Structures are given as structure tokens and as C-alpha cells.
Amino acid sequence: MAEILEGIEIPINIRALKTSTIYYVSTDGKNILIDTGMDPGTENFLLQKRVRVEDLDAIFLSHLHIDHLGGAEKMHQDYSIPVYMGYEDLVRVKAIQENPSGFLSELLDFLRMNGVPESYLQEFGENHPVIMELENYKNLDIEDIATIPGGTYGGIKFVNTPGHSPGSTCFYMKNEKFMFTGDHILERITPNISFYDRTTDMLSLYIKSLRETMKFQVDRVFPGHGKPFSGLKERSESIIDHHLGRVQEIRGIAKDLWINAYEIAGRMTWSKGRRMITMNSMEQNFAIGEAIAHIRYMKNSGELDEREVNGTLEYRSS
């Protein structure tokens, strides 16, 4: 019989989210922690729930974002607990560790190519979550979750769900019909879809992953933010509809007009009717990344034409 804490909500320094939810699972003789919050103080929250960190057999990270992996390194160093993550996220973490200045340089070059003004670039770079939390990335010691034989551990099946991140992983318990979704599926927030290189169509991958997870029999969803909920299939369909609505909005913005990604993001309507100009720098980063992901999806489907003018990419509805 599996023991699952319904969720330990940990405060995080991201205004739109406020908390990150981690889970302790005891099943088939294994004690597992799914995600770790944003900073090294995670152990204190576990102790409040009478969870002894030294009894953990493994830590599984749903994806590479700091609000899910920030507490992993200290627990690994203090207690030698193995930490696992999806391969495509793991290689990106290692790239950041090996060349953090190169990561920032590539990020700024790509933002520049997408129309972000020079006057904003330094602030955008400084307020990128990876750069802000670089120390928490530098020493992470993580293993590829695919090295665990059979793709399961303690009755938990690993489900590859690229989209919110390249190596996003969900964790499925077939007997209980539970799925731990990280940021792949959230109940009240539509997960941010961004870019991780110059070519991969993350939105297309995300929609495909949502349709794949809809095939699982799931009675209860344990998300990376908020409380557990039911209705995975219905929520997945509403998320897909949301993104297709964004596509339609961009189609209208770029109709008969050559326009870059930064300008498109500035004209889009965001959560609660907000505009990008009202956001802080971190939120603007998310908005621009989201615009780029949708533009790439539309370009690949033939809905947008692309041209380069003086080093800046511009788009127009076909």
C-alpha cells in the first residue's frame, strides 16, 4: 500500500506562482521525494511533516526549473541521496554548469535576434531564472532517470513528457491511478512553453505530450504547483485549446504586417488581461519565450512567413 503525502507547498520567489508543491511517496519499500522546491531549505518543510530526509532512497525531479530542483543538491550532499532527471533536461543543466557565461551570451544573442531592445537585454539576462539562481545550478549532481532499469522504481513509471521543458517527466502509479505531473499539467495555471534552443518546436512537443498523457487512466493528478485534483483529460484539452487560442491571436497581430517576436509579445493579452509592459523582468522573459514558442509552432505549420532584416527575425501571417 502506497503512502503519499497530499503535497507539501513551499514558498518560492516567483510572483505568479507563490509556492511549489513537492511530494513524499513511500511505495514498494522505497521512500521517494518528487521535486524539491526552490532553495536549500527543503529539509525543514519535510521535518514539519515528520519526513526524515535520511530515509529517502531517491529524489526524482520533474524538470530542470529552479523552483523544482533548488533543494536537491543540499540533500544529495548531506545524505548521499541519488537525484534523477530526464536526459534532455540533464544535458542542459550540464551545459549551464560547464559554461554559464556561454549560456548567458547565447540567451542574449537569441533575444536580440527576436527584437528585444539593447536597453532591456542586460536586465532581462540578470532576471532570467537560471542566471538569478546560478549558484544552485553550478554544483548539482544529477543522474539520467533513463539509467534506472525498466523505466520504473518502487511501482512508479517514468513518463517522458517534453514541452514545458525538453526533458519534462511525469510519474505514474498504475495501481493507484495517480500521476505526478510537475509543470506538465497544472489545474489553475497554464504552464509556460518557451524555447530551449534555436530550432526545437516546444509547443508541438507539448501538445503531443498532453495527448499522450490523456491516454493514461488517471483518477488523481498531483501537480508541481497547487493541490491535487481530478480531471486530467479535461484539463489537458483546455490547455490545448488555450494554446490554439494564442495561435489565433498571433495570427491576427501579424496579419499583413511584418513584426518581430518582442513586438508580438507586447501586443498579446496575457493572464487576467495583462499586457507585457505591466510585468516585471522575469515575467517579461516568460512572455517573450511563450511568444517565440508559438511563433515557431506557427512557422513550422506554415501559418507564418519569416524574414531576417538587419539581424532581426520578423514574421507575417500567411
Side-chain angles (χ1 to χ4, degrees):
M1 182 73 177
E3 176 191 351
I4 301 170
L5 290 182
E6 280 284 285
I8 304 170
E9 292 191 67
I10 300 179
I12 59 174
N13 187 28
I14 298 178
R15 184 170 69 175
L17 297 171
K18 296 183 176 61
T19 63
S20 183
T21 307
I22 68 176
Y23 299 93
Y24 168 78
V25 182
S26 181
T27 177
D28 286 358
K30 301 294 185 182
N31 301 316
I32 300 159
L33 187 65
I34 296 177
D35 286 339
T36 65
M38 192 164 184
D39 60 52
T42 304
E43 183 176 358
N44 296 327
F45 292 93
L46 292 171
L47 288 173
Q48 291 173 20
K49 298 292 184 179
R50 299 182 180 179
V51 174
R52 288 162 38 98
V53 174
E54 56 265 40
D55 292 338
L56 291 174
D57 294 294
I59 296 172
F60 295 151
L61 300 176
S62 62
H63 62 293
L64 56 67
H65 294 156
I66 190 63
D67 51 320
H68 296 265
L69 60 73
E73 181 58 21
K74 187 174 190 304
M75 288 187 283
H76 171 73
Q77 291 294 339
D78 290 351
Y79 301 101
S80 300
I81 305 164
V83 181
Y84 297 94
M85 174 189 285
Y87 175 76
E88 291 297 333
D89 278 5
L90 177 61
V91 296
R92 284 163 174 80
V93 170
K94 289 190 178 297
I96 292 167
Q97 292 174 333
E98 292 169 3
N99 188 7
S101 61
F103 170 84
L104 178 58
S105 177
E106 169 66 15
L107 171 64
L108 295 182
D109 283 348
F110 189 64
L111 290 173
R112 186 179 292 112
M113 183 185 298
N114 280 278
V116 178
E118 292 292 333
S119 58
Y120 284 80
L121 281 175
Q122 182 174 352
E123 184 179 2
F124 276 13
E126 291 173 351
N127 288 282
H128 190 280
V130 171
I131 303 304
M132 291 175 67
E133 300 289 341
L134 189 58
E135 289 303 314
N136 280 327
Y137 279 97
K138 277 185 176 179
N139 300 312
L140 280 168
D141 187 0
I142 308 176
E143 300 176 51
D144 178 5
I145 203 167
T147 61
I148 296 177
T152 62
Y153 184 89
I156 297 176
K157 176 180 176 62
F158 313 137
V159 183
N160 185 34
T161 54
H164 180 66
S165 74
S168 169
T169 305
C170 291
F171 305 99
Y172 180 60
M173 301 181 72
K174 181 178 180 179
N175 291 339
E176 293 79 6
K177 297 180 182 177
F178 292 162
M179 184 172 281
F180 300 85
T181 59
D183 284 2
H184 175 59
I185 301 170
L186 303 174
E187 182 180 24
R188 302 185 183 281
I189 300 168
T190 304
N192 176 254
I193 308 302
S194 190
F195 62 89
Y196 288 84
D197 55 41
R198 297 196 177 199
T199 58
T200 306
D201 182 351
M202 296 302 298
L203 180 55
S204 180
L205 288 175
Y206 183 53
I207 292 173
K208 181 179 179 181
S209 292
L210 284 171
R211 288 175 173 152
E212 287 299 314
T213 48
M214 286 165 64
K215 297 176 183 178
F216 286 80
Q217 290 187 322
V218 177
D219 288 344
R220 197 142 180 84
V221 180
F222 296 81
H225 300 280
K227 299 184 183 302
F229 64 96
S230 301
L232 178 144
K233 185 175 185 294
E234 293 78 9
R235 179 58 183 143
S236 298
E237 289 173 338
S238 72
I239 292 173
I240 293 172
D241 288 344
H242 166 86
H243 285 292
L244 295 180
R246 281 254 166 98
V247 166
Q248 185 174 354
E249 181 183 15
I250 292 172
R251 189 184 300 118
I253 290 170
K255 184 173 177 60
D256 301 323
L257 172 70
W258 285 105
I259 186 170
N260 64 53
Y262 177 77
E263 293 168 332
I264 289 173
R267 296 188 185 195
M268 291 173 68
T269 302
W270 300 97
S271 175
K272 299 178 182 178
R274 299 172 67 202
R275 295 289 180 175
M276 193 171 70
I277 195 172
T278 68
M279 300 177 181
N280 62 33
S281 293
M282 182 185 292
E283 291 164 346
Q284 289 181 352
N285 264 316
F286 293 153
I288 293 167
E290 184 102 3
I292 290 171
H294 285 73
I295 288 166
R296 190 170 290 171
Y297 174 86
M298 294 173 71
K299 176 177 174 287
N300 287 351
S301 64
E303 296 181 72
L304 286 180
D305 297 322
E306 179 186 80
R307 72 178 186 183
E308 183 176 334
V309 179
N310 298 323
T312 301
L313 297 175
E314 296 181 341
Y315 301 91
R316 185 176 64 181
S317 297
S318 301

